[in-house]
Each structure stands twice: as C-alpha cells, then as structure tokens.
Amino acid sequence: MAGNRRADRRNGGETSPLRLIAVAVILIGLVLVSLRLLPGSPFESSAAARWGDAGSTTSDRSTGTPTDRSARQPAPTASPSPSLEPLPFVAKDLKLDIQGWYSWSVLDRRTGKIIGSKNMGETSTTASMIKSWIVADYLRRTADAGQTPSDAKLADATRIIRDSDNTRAEQFYNSVGRDASIRRLLSMCKLTDSSVAPDKGWSRTALSPRDTARLGNCIATGTAAGPKWTKWLLNEMKLVRGAGDFGIRKAFPAAEQKQIAIKNGWIDRTKEQEMHINCLAIGDTWTMGVMVKYPIGMGYDYGMKNCEKITEALLRPGV
C-alpha cells in the first residue's frame, strides 16, 4: 500500500498541500493586478490613471462607454482686442468749391496711421506755423543744456505762440541755429516730404500736410520740446488768440475747441502771387494738417475759412 501511494504522487495521482497553496497565491496575485488596472476600481493604480489621462478618449465610469475628454473641457478662447474709438474724421475724397490748391492729412496718435488727400505729400511754405517747432526746439535745447529759460524768455515764447510775434520768432530762430534747427525738425520728427529753405528764413520752410500732422505728433509725444516743456507748450498752443485763431478747431463744438492745440500760418507771397494759409491742430488722439494756396488777390479770410471748411467736410457725423 505504501509503495502504491508513492507511485501515485510521482504520477500526479495526489496533489501536495504546498502546491495548492502556491497556486492559490498566484491566482490571488493575478486578480489584484487585474483590479489595479481596471478603470474605476478602488485599487486602480496611479500609473493606470496616468495612462487614462494621456489619451483623448477614456471610458465613462458609469456607463462604460467611450467619452472624449476634450469634449468635456471648453477650448481656450483668445481675449478680444479692445477696439479703439473712431477718430472724429472720415477719410474721403473731397470735391469742394475751393479755388486754388488744397490738401489735408490726419494722423492717429494711437496707431501712427495716416490718412489724407491724394496730394498730402505736396508742400507749401509754412509761414508762422513753423513757430511751434522753433519754440519747441529752443525749450528742449535749453533743458538739455541744464538751464531754465528766464521769465522774460518764457514771456517771449508765449507771444510767439499765442500772438505769432515775428520779431521774437526771429530772435529765437537765431538762437537755435536757423537752418540747423529745421534740419533737426526733419530728422527728429521723421519728416519725409519737407525741406529747408537755405538762408531764406523760417517762413520759407517747405512742409506738406502729411509732415504737418507728423510735426503735431512730434510735439504731442514730447520729442520736440522734451519732457519738461511739452505740457507747457501744448497749453500755450491751446491759448492761441487774435488773428491766428482760425481753421481746424473752429470746425469743432465750442466746448471741444478749448482742448485742441493749434498753430497756424498765413502769408501773401508776392513772388508767387499766392496766398499761403496753413493749419496745424493737435487733439487727444489725433493731429491734423491742412494747407491751401490760391490767388493773392482773394485775401486772407478766404483761405482761413476754407481751412475750417475742409475740416468740417471730414468730420464724422455727430461730432
């Protein structure tokens, strides 16, 4: 009998208790591993969770159906760019009943964009309009030299801007180097159409309406007069009075006119037998240049009113 039992064990007829325990342990281990890999199981491993996150499609734990993770998460949206308030002007081709030559340009101070008439790059002589640069050049250079203008000099500058005083303008022009000052204007304000009139004085400086708008922006940004004196200069230009108070800002409502800085020029050119009328204006978000030329016998008022008329024709409805 004993010999038969030993033969049966060798032939697999009877299973050892140790072997049964080993098999049970292996089966339990396989079950646990399966539970760790099963999504939704309390034994789910962090690795399985990571694998599930890596794909865009997973299984819905309540229904077992595939779900798209990207569908559950809203797509990022770009923040809308804030839109700029429109300028008070509308670009258009003007067909006005005006004798002679006229041209205009507007610069958006927020973007640098320039609009204007097709001939906005053509030039005319500036007359007194250039005094805004002469005073700015003087103030900036004085500050750069570490000096402060005397009260008398500031009073002279006020007369040049508000009242267009020619005598004092000539004195300032001499002090800033005459033609050298205009060359600085062309360079510092990045003018493209304009030119110096060598040894012919400030009044003969050639500027275009496009460069006039650029000059206005050069003043408004502080480049022309420098950080110390820009606010002072703009305030003086808002206080222009008397014969020089005409043109662009007159087209605006009275309450707005006080906030618009200007410097105009007007002269009868006997050599050319023309009147040259020029207007520069600086608003909060824009600068503008308007120029007109016409037969000398028509007088100053004709050009001064047409500078305003051109501006009115370009204003956006409701301004």
Side-chain angles (χ1 to χ4, degrees):
M1 294 290 291
N4 289 336
R5 289 194 196 98
R6 283 194 295 270
D8 290 342
R9 288 185 189 129
R10 285 195 299 269
N11 295 327
E14 183 173 316
T15 304
S16 168
L18 291 176
R19 183 179 296 178
L20 290 174
I21 293 172
V23 170
V25 169
I26 291 172
L27 290 175
I28 292 171
L30 290 173
V31 170
L32 290 174
V33 169
S34 299
L35 289 174
R36 285 171 62 81
L37 295 176
L38 180 64
S41 165
F43 299 98
E44 182 181 2
S45 68
S46 59
R50 286 196 296 271
W51 296 338
D53 287 341
S56 61
T57 303
T58 62
S59 180
D60 188 303
R61 292 175 180 174
S62 61
T63 65
T65 57
T67 59
D68 189 344
R69 285 182 181 269
S70 61
R72 293 183 297 171
Q73 298 176 355
T77 57
S79 299
S81 299
S83 57
L84 297 175
E85 288 291 326
L87 294 179
F89 307 97
V90 178
K92 63 177 73 174
D93 290 329
L94 299 181
K95 292 181 173 61
L96 303 176
D97 183 18
I98 296 177
Q99 293 192 44
W101 171 92
Y102 65 91
S103 180
W104 65 272
S105 183
V106 172
L107 183 150
D108 189 331
R109 290 179 52 196
R110 303 163 299 182
T111 65
K113 181 180 178 181
I114 296 176
I115 60 173
S117 55
K118 293 179 180 178
N119 61 350
M120 65 178 172
E122 297 179 14
T123 64
S124 184
T125 62
T126 62
S128 293
M129 188 174 69
I130 200 67
K131 293 171 182 174
S132 59
W133 166 259
I134 294 171
V135 171
D137 197 29
Y138 168 78
L139 293 171
R140 187 195 68 260
R141 286 165 57 83
T142 301
D144 287 348
Q147 301 171 1
T148 300
S150 65
D151 290 343
K153 279 295 184 183
L154 286 178
D156 287 344
T158 291
R159 292 286 298 276
I160 293 170
I161 297 298
R162 295 192 197 182
D163 304 314
S164 208
D165 188 291
N166 287 334
T167 300
R168 289 174 172 83
E170 185 69 17
Q171 294 170 352
F172 272 52
Y173 192 54
N174 288 332
S175 71
V176 294
R178 301 187 66 82
D179 290 352
S181 177
I182 305 303
R183 286 192 289 271
R184 284 192 293 274
L185 163 64
L186 304 183
S187 175
M188 293 182 64
C189 298
K190 295 179 172 56
L191 308 190
T192 60
D193 314 315
S194 306
S195 59
V196 181
D199 301 320
K200 292 183 180 179
W202 46 265
S203 178
R204 281 278 178 180
T205 302
L207 240 63
S208 66
R210 176 165 55 192
D211 279 351
T212 298
R214 287 170 173 154
L215 167 59
N217 191 52
C218 193
I219 293 171
T221 60
T223 301
K228 184 175 181 179
W229 292 103
T230 293
K231 184 177 180 180
W232 184 92
L233 177 58
L234 286 171
N235 185 65
E236 291 300 311
M237 293 174 70
K238 291 175 183 177
L239 297 173
V240 168
R241 59 199 175 191
D245 185 12
F246 64 87
I248 295 170
R249 76 175 175 188
K250 291 293 185 180
F252 285 80
E256 295 183 36
Q257 291 181 24
K258 297 176 182 180
Q259 301 306 314
I260 298 174
I262 65 169
K263 190 71 191 86
N264 298 321
W266 62 102
I267 194 167
D268 52 341
R269 295 292 184 197
T270 55
K271 180 180 178 180
E272 293 89 346
Q273 283 295 290
E274 291 176 337
M275 300 295 297
H276 290 190
I277 309 295
N278 312 300
C279 299
L280 163 65
I282 302 171
D284 288 340
T285 59
W286 54 269
T287 61
M288 185 175 191
V290 178
M291 291 180 157
V292 296
K293 291 187 285 190
Y294 53 92
I296 195 169
M298 300 182 73
Y300 291 111
D301 285 348
Y302 183 77
M304 292 175 173
K305 290 179 179 178
N306 280 329
C307 194
E308 180 180 347
K309 181 178 181 179
I310 292 166
T311 307
E312 284 178 344
L314 295 167
L315 284 180
R316 188 177 298 279
V319 173

